[in-house]
């Protein structure tokens, strides 16, 4: 079966803006002087600190953990001294307990950071334990702990692992550069994942606007008949998990269901690299590749950044602002979260910092809906955003629910295309929160 | 920004001075705008406008200009009176004006489009909430109103040759001119004002001959000023489809259904091309049935809508009292639109069958 030029129904063409950074090699970011490491960077239970103020820590040392199964430990990204443990804003939430560590600049590795042995000799259980201990979470989206994702219940038969290299968000090139520069790590990580789940088919899906990444990965999978590359049409949101599964495997994840319901698990490229490094080097997830980009920064870059580094350090390293900034976004322009402050730290799930200029960030005038139906055409879930959003704006959340608001993946395609500039995704997101809150309180 | 460089080594201070905008994603918007869509429709209608002046003379231009000007005027007026924001810059009133004029015969008096646009804009469009909320196509509703109130003015068609004063449209010829007692039977039932249209058409249809098909295609035939040239309308329609302003499914299913139903109703094959090219079917299918607010937004709903309109058009033409039938079919389907949408809600991806 040829896996070429695949895609899903619906979606929208968005400008890429990737030319700013797609040709730039990953650079090591400057050593941060102080890091702010949140104890809750993932979906699931927050960690409790296991260090105290005044403790000396080393790179890769575990500093927070939780007894809960759905959680992921956090590690220090520098060697130095714990200055304080306090509540601070992070890119995804307002008040999160963070461990503040002052770096001594020596970057001494913790003794636990050492190779975990030959993949051939590791058992399924051992690999999962390595991944769990390394604190690996999904690095593209919600930050779901990887070891939980890779431990499906017995009754879910998994036959294929998909690696998500679509990277369909405009501007972001972190995964792209990783695939070009570390293709063998991606392939190794995929092999480790396949072994941990007990599956012998792996497919790496890449959008066709990254020919160099496709080439590099194809080169790296030579003589590996059970791993394939699938090339994908360039369309937003191709990288949405369920869209990716639909495009590559032709399967439809049921509404409210998970990929494992249709026999597959999807991992993002950065996550796969982190898994490879956890096995090969024993390295916990304490640094990641971040694209710092946008018209608002002078020199956009792909940086290898330590978790806990404040946004402002990185923007400074990219030459500072090129124009008066209007918005600073954690992530891409379609799904990223705009920030109140540049003091927030990079967390495991931060794939980009996007600085939009004041001019670009200007809100557009909203007109009444003209019923053109364009939002329906682009919605990958086949919702009727004009009605879901329309009821949501009127705070009629029951009606919004009846129009399947909860199936919305918040991709933003509807708001993007709307000629009347209606805040559809924005209001549907709000409705979802309300509906879920109401369900919980019942 | 115009490449202005803020000189700063300390990014932080700049951001502090400057309030950062915090909104929910997405943070970018496409270049699509309401104005652009409306402008595209106007562009698409331009060949037919030029054609109408060429075929019907300067009176056609006068009617179009009066119709557009009064539509825009009434929109501004009623919005001002209702203390709503004035939105004539969205250009939608211009389109209503053009389409309304397109439905008039070239011989129509100058005040006819003013009456029509007042009704279309004030009653049908603005009193129901303005652009996007009108449940009927304003231009068509305006035409229907004019036809009921001034049937004689609405159905006295001048030919494209200046020496011919009153002629019949090809569909009227087919309906009345072909049967020996066409005019008589139509006259016999002329008890309501609406049937005067039939009588007027039928009288002039007596003994007339069908035009050449090529003339019909180009538009060199009697009829309402904007509906006669299939060629020019199709050029504009192709533009709209390429620009993704209209959904090709509506016109294609509409016209195909009309065709199939006419065949099923026993219309002879030599008349079929006249039915497709004549009677405003092209104008209606591509430019009226595709009106956003009054047609369904759901993909299946659009097909149902088009099939319904096609069936009704054929039914009215063959069994009904009017030779044309396009506007009433579309208006009827406009009314059915909310119901159609309700029953054609798309199945959510991964949702239960
Ligand atoms: S895209 Fe915007 S204007 Fe068009 S139907 Fe949807 S909400 Fe209405
Ligand atoms: S309704 Fe939700 S899923 Fe559909 S396009 Fe809008 S944001 Fe995306």
């Amino acid at each position: 079966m040829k896996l070429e030029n695949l895609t899903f129904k619906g979606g929208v063409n968005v400008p890429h803006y990737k030319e700013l950074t797609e040709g730039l090699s990953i650079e090591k970011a400057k050593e941060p002087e102080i890091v702010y490491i949140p104890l809750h960077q993932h979906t699931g239970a927050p960690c409790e600190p296991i260090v105290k103020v005044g403790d000396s820590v080393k790179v890769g040392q575990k500093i927070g953990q939780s007894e809960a199964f759905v959680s992921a430990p956090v590690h220090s990204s520098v060697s130095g001294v714990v200055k304080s443990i306090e509540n601070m804003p992070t890119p995804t939430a307002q008040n999160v307990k963070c461990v503040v560590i002052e770096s001594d600049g020596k970057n001494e590795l913790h003794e636990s950071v050492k190779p975990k042995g030959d993949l051939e000799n590791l058992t399924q259980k051992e690999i999962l334990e390595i991944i769990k201990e390394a604190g690996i979470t999904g690095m593209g989206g919600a930050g779901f702990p990887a070891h939980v994702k890779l431990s499906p219940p017995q009754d879910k038969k998994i036959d294929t692992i998909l690696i998500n290299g679509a990277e369909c968000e405009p501007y972001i090139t972190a995964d792209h550069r990783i695939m070009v520069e570390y293709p063998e790590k991606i392939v190794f990580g995929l092999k480790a994942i396949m072994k941990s789940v007990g599956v012998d088919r792996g497919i790496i899906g890449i959008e066709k606007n990254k020919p160099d990444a496709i080439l590099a990965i194809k080169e790296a999978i030579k003589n590996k008949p059970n791993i394939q590359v699938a090339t994908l049409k360039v369309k937003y949101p191709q990288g949405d998990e369920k869209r990716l599964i639909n495009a590559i495997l032709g399967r439809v994840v049921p509404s409210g269901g998970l990929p494992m319901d249709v026999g597959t698990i999807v991992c993002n490229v950065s996550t796969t690299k982190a898994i490879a490094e956890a096995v090969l080097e024993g390295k916990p997830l304490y640094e990641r590749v971040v694209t710092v980009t946008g018209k608002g920064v002078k020199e956009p870059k792909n940086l290898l950044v330590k978790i806990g580094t404040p946004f402002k350090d990185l923007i400074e390293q990219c030459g500072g602002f090129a124009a008066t900034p209007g918005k600073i976004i954690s992530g891409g322009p379609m799904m990223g979260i705009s920030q109140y402050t540049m003091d927030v730290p990079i967390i495991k799930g931060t794939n980009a910092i996007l600085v939009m200029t004041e001019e670009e960030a200007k809100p557009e005038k909203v007109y009444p809906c003209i019923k053109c139906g364009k939002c329906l055409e682009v919605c990958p879930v086949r919702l009727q955003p004009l009605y879901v959003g329309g009821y949501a704006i009127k705070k009629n959340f029951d009606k919004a629910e009846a129009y399947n608001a909860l199936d919305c993946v918040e991709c933003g395609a509807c708001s993007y295309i709307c000629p009347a500039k209606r805040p559809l995704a924005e209001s549907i997101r709000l409705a979802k929160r309300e509906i879920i809150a109401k369900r919980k309180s019942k | 920004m115009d490449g202005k460089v803020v000189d700063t080594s300390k990014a932080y201070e700049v951001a502090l001075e400057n309030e950062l905008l915090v909104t929910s994603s997405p943070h970018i918007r496409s270049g699509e705008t309401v104005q652009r869509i409306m402008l595209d429709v106007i562009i698409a209608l331009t060949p037919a406008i030029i054609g109408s002046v060429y075929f019907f003379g300067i009176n056609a231009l006068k009617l179009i200009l009066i119709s557009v000007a009064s539509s825009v005027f009434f929109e501004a007026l009623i919005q001002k009176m209702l203390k709503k924001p004035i939105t004539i810059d969205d250009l939608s009133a211009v389109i209503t004006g053009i389409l309304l004029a397109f439905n008039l015969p070239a011989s129509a008096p100058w005040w006819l489009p003013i009456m029509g646009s007042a009704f279309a804009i004030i009653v049908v469009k603005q009193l129901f909430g303005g652009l996007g909320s009108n449940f009927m196509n304003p231009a068509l509703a305006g035409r229907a109103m004019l036809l009921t109130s001034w049937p004689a003015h609405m159905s006295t068609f001048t030919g494209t040759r200046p020496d011919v004063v009153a002629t019949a449209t090809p569909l009227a010829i087919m309906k009345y001119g072909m049967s020996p007692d066409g005019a008589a039977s139509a006259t016999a039932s002329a008890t309501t004002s609406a049937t005067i249209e039939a009588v007027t058409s039928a009288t002039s249809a007596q003994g007339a001959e069908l035009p050449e098909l090529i003339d019909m295609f180009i538009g060199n035939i009697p009829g309402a000023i904007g509906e006669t040239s299939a060629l020019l309308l199709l050029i504009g329609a192709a533009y709209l489809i390429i620009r993704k302003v209209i959904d090709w499914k509506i016109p294609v299913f509409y016209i195909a259904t009309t065709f199939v139903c006419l065949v099923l109703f026993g219309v002879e094959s030599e008349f079929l091309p006249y039915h497709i090219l004549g009677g405003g079917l092209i104008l209606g299918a591509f430019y009226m049935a595709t009106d956003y607010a009054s047609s369904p937004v759901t993909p299946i709903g659009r097909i149902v809508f088009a099939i319904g309109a096609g069936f009704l058009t054929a039914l009215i033409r063959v069994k009904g009292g009017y030779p044309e039938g396009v506007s009433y079919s579309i208006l009827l389907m406009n009314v059915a639109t909310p119901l159609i949408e309700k029953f054609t809600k798309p199945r959510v991806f991964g949702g239960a069958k």
Side-chain angles (χ1 to χ4, degrees):
Chain A
M1 188 174 56
K2 269 233 150 50
L3 297 173
E4 270 167 34
N5 207 20
L6 308 172
T7 195
F8 62 99
K9 264 205 183 135
V12 62
N13 289 312
V14 292
H16 301 156
Y17 303 115
K18 292 192 193 266
E19 57 286 350
L20 292 173
T21 51
E22 66 188 348
L24 304 177
S25 302
I26 299 167
E27 276 175 54
K28 238 176 146 37
K30 257 205 317 248
E31 276 302 316
E33 282 161 23
I34 296 185
V35 289
Y36 307 82
I37 301 177
L39 288 163
H40 193 196
Q41 310 182 25
H42 48 266
T43 307
C47 295
E48 286 306 319
I50 52 172
V51 289
K52 299 183 306 299
V53 175
D55 281 2
S56 290
V57 291
K58 290 184 178 163
V59 177
Q61 180 178 342
K62 203 199 279 181
I63 56 174
Q65 64 182 18
S66 162
E67 294 300 315
F69 178 61
V70 184
S71 186
V74 292
H75 303 79
S76 177
S77 54
V78 294
S79 60
V81 181
V82 177
K83 287 308 252 184
S84 66
I85 297 173
E86 57 186 305
N87 280 350
M88 295 184 47
T90 73
T92 50
Q94 274 319 298
N95 257 315
V96 180
K97 204 178 266 180
C98 292
V99 178
V100 183
I101 304 167
E102 193 173 76
S103 170
D104 58 15
K106 292 192 200 121
N107 260 330
E108 273 177 80
L109 273 188
H110 192 252
E111 51 279 6
S112 63
V113 181
K114 54 175 190 284
K116 301 294 178 195
D118 215 346
L119 183 60
E120 302 303 313
N121 304 329
L122 293 169
T123 65
Q124 237 171 297
K125 264 225 166 70
E126 283 168 335
I127 301 173
L128 286 172
E129 189 58 27
I130 292 169
I131 293 172
K132 180 179 174 205
E133 277 304 301
I136 296 170
T137 62
M139 291 162 75
F144 199 76
H147 67 277
V148 182
K149 201 177 196 177
L150 298 177
S151 320
Q154 283 294 316
D155 60 323
K156 305 282 180 198
K157 270 269 146 288
I158 307 295
D159 57 32
T160 311
I161 302 291
L162 295 184
I163 302 301
N164 188 351
E167 202 165 46
C168 60
E169 265 274 0
Y171 287 101
I172 309 179
T173 56
D175 285 352
H176 179 177
R177 288 313 305 180
I178 290 173
M179 287 189 283
V180 172
E181 295 177 45
Y182 304 100
E184 59 311 312
K185 273 195 182 166
I186 300 305
V187 174
F188 182 88
L190 173 55
K191 272 168 51 188
I193 295 169
M194 284 158 63
K195 187 154 189 209
S196 75
V197 186
V199 169
D200 57 9
R201 183 174 180 223
I203 303 174
I204 303 169
I206 310 171
E207 267 195 357
K208 280 170 63 184
N209 59 358
K210 303 180 238 311
D212 48 350
I214 295 171
L215 216 69
I217 297 278
K218 278 197 170 155
E219 191 60 34
I221 60 167
K222 267 192 188 151
N223 311 321
K224 295 192 178 60
N226 52 352
I227 298 181
Q228 287 169 284
V229 167
T231 64
L232 305 163
K233 264 204 191 116
V234 181
K235 192 165 70 174
Y236 183 84
Q238 184 64 75
D240 176 63
E241 217 168 55
K242 295 184 181 177
R243 277 2 91 191
L244 192 80
I245 294 168
N246 190 237
I248 298 179
L249 299 174
R251 300 177 193 170
V252 174
V253 180
S255 161
L258 290 170
M260 64 182 180
D261 295 328
V262 293
T264 185
I265 293 174
V266 183
C267 283
N268 143 293
V269 162
S270 289
T271 314
T272 309
K273 172 172 174 270
I275 289 173
E277 288 171 349
V279 175
L280 289 168
E281 303 156 27
K283 179 177 159 186
L285 176 47
Y286 62 76
E287 58 184 3
R288 65 156 301 147
V289 179
V290 179
T291 303
V292 183
T293 185
K295 248 192 179 174
V297 286
K298 267 191 205 154
E299 295 165 46
K301 284 182 172 145
N302 296 303
L303 294 172
L304 179 65
V305 181
K306 293 196 157 166
I307 304 292
T309 309
F311 277 29
K312 62 168 187 275
D313 290 15
L314 299 172
I315 293 172
E316 245 176 85
Q317 270 177 61
C318 292
F321 294 122
T324 318
K327 261 188 202 178
I328 295 181
I329 295 161
S330 163
M334 295 299 287
M335 293 185 75
I337 305 171
S338 58
Q339 302 295 318
Y340 292 92
T341 153
M342 303 198 304
D343 290 333
V344 289
I346 295 289
I347 61 173
K348 294 172 185 175
T350 316
N351 47 12
I353 299 175
L354 169 62
V355 181
M356 291 174 77
T357 65
E358 203 178 21
E359 191 79 5
E360 290 175 304
K362 253 198 206 123
E364 292 195 62
K365 198 174 154 208
V366 177
Y367 291 88
C369 167
I370 56 168
K371 274 192 77 195
C372 66
K374 284 181 196 285
C375 51
L376 262 91
E377 272 160 44
V378 301
C379 178
V381 201
R382 291 200 291 265
L383 297 183
Q384 305 184 65
L386 76 159
Y387 294 132
V388 197
Y391 286 119
I393 290 173
K394 288 191 203 129
K395 304 239 181 301
N396 189 343
F397 299 123
D398 292 337
K399 264 291 213 212
E401 188 177 359
Y403 274 91
N404 307 93
L406 288 184
D407 279 285
C408 169
V409 297
E410 302 182 23
C411 69
C414 50
S415 297
Y416 173 80
I417 201 74
C418 178
K421 314 291 164 199
R422 303 199 61 73
L424 301 167
E426 294 87 331
S427 51
I428 299 171
R429 179 176 296 126
L430 197 86
K432 280 177 71 179
R433 307 277 178 277
E434 294 282 339
I435 295 164
I436 291 168
K438 209 172 123 196
R439 280 197 183 172
K440 276 194 185 142
S441 71
K442 263 186 197 155
Chain B
M1 264 210 158
D2 46 3
K4 188 182 107 191
V5 173
V6 176
D7 185 30
T8 168
S9 48
K10 285 263 173 270
Y12 188 51
E13 284 150 30
V14 177
L16 264 190
E17 283 168 24
N18 187 65
E19 292 233 343
L20 288 176
L21 198 66
V22 179
T23 57
S24 191
S25 63
H27 306 286
I28 50 174
R29 292 287 191 271
S30 65
E32 306 255 358
T33 62
V34 177
Q35 285 91 336
R36 179 67 224 187
I37 289 174
M38 299 300 163
L39 186 65
D40 273 339
V41 178
I42 295 172
I43 292 172
L45 287 168
T46 305
I49 294 176
I50 296 171
S52 71
V53 180
Y54 176 78
F55 293 125
F56 295 103
I58 202 72
N59 205 38
L61 183 64
K62 222 163 75 190
L63 289 172
I64 293 171
L65 289 179
I66 292 173
S67 184
V68 168
S70 52
S71 291
V72 173
F73 172 76
F74 286 126
E75 177 137 297
L77 183 76
I78 183 80
Q79 285 180 328
K80 189 149 185 112
M81 279 163 52
L82 295 176
K83 297 198 168 53
K84 287 203 260 181
I86 293 177
T87 59
I88 50 173
D89 64 331
D90 68 19
L91 300 179
S92 61
V94 176
I95 296 173
T96 302
I98 297 173
L99 289 178
L100 182 73
F102 271 19
N103 279 295
L104 304 175
S107 61
W110 61 270
W111 49 266
L112 207 59
I114 299 183
M115 293 298 175
S117 58
F119 181 75
I121 296 288
I122 296 177
V123 179
V124 183
K125 188 178 176 189
Q126 290 301 338
L127 290 187
F128 282 96
L131 181 62
S133 303
N134 50 292
F135 73 97
M136 273 193 200
N137 183 322
L140 276 185
R143 175 189 189 268
M145 188 278 284
L146 294 178
L147 199 53
T148 323
S149 314
W150 295 280
H153 282 310
M154 285 299 284
S155 42
T156 307
F157 294 102
T158 51
T160 51
R161 296 199 322 274
D163 54 319
V164 181
V165 180
T167 21
T169 64
L171 289 194
I173 297 172
M174 283 196 287
K175 191 151 185 79
Y176 309 115
M178 293 295 162
S179 66
D181 59 352
S185 67
T187 316
S189 59
T191 46
T192 67
S193 68
T195 45
I196 295 174
E197 185 226 356
V199 180
T200 318
S201 309
T203 317
S204 47
Q206 281 296 301
E209 273 180 34
L210 282 174
E212 295 286 324
L213 267 183
I214 183 72
D215 279 336
M216 271 198 91
F217 184 65
I218 293 173
N220 196 17
I221 50 160
I225 55 177
E227 68 178 30
T228 58
S229 177
L231 174 68
L232 298 177
L233 289 170
L234 287 173
I235 290 173
Y239 172 77
L240 289 183
I241 290 170
I242 291 167
R243 296 267 312 153
K244 293 204 173 126
V245 171
I246 61 170
D247 187 343
W248 62 270
K249 289 198 281 300
I250 295 181
V252 168
F253 275 88
Y254 187 167
I255 295 170
T257 309
T258 308
F259 184 85
V260 170
C261 290
L262 287 170
V263 171
L264 292 180
F265 289 150
V267 171
E268 285 160 57
S269 58
E270 57 171 313
F271 294 149
L272 288 172
Y274 292 95
H275 274 290
I276 301 305
L277 296 174
L281 182 58
I282 304 277
L283 179 67
F286 283 94
Y287 296 92
M288 313 270 209
T290 52
D291 176 51
Y292 290 148
S294 55
S295 65
V297 284
T298 59
I300 307 285
R302 286 178 172 175
I303 295 173
V304 172
F305 176 91
I307 291 175
F311 170 77
L312 287 174
T313 302
L315 190 71
I316 295 174
R317 283 186 181 181
V318 177
K319 312 271 182 208
Y322 296 99
E324 278 149 14
V326 170
S327 7
Y328 289 114
S329 310
I330 296 175
L331 286 173
L332 276 170
M333 294 312 292
N334 286 165
V335 176
T337 290
L339 204 65
I340 296 174
E341 274 192 357
K342 215 171 142 187
F343 287 106
T344 56
K345 215 170 130 182
R347 184 162 60 86
V348 170
F349 182 91
K353 288 214 169 83

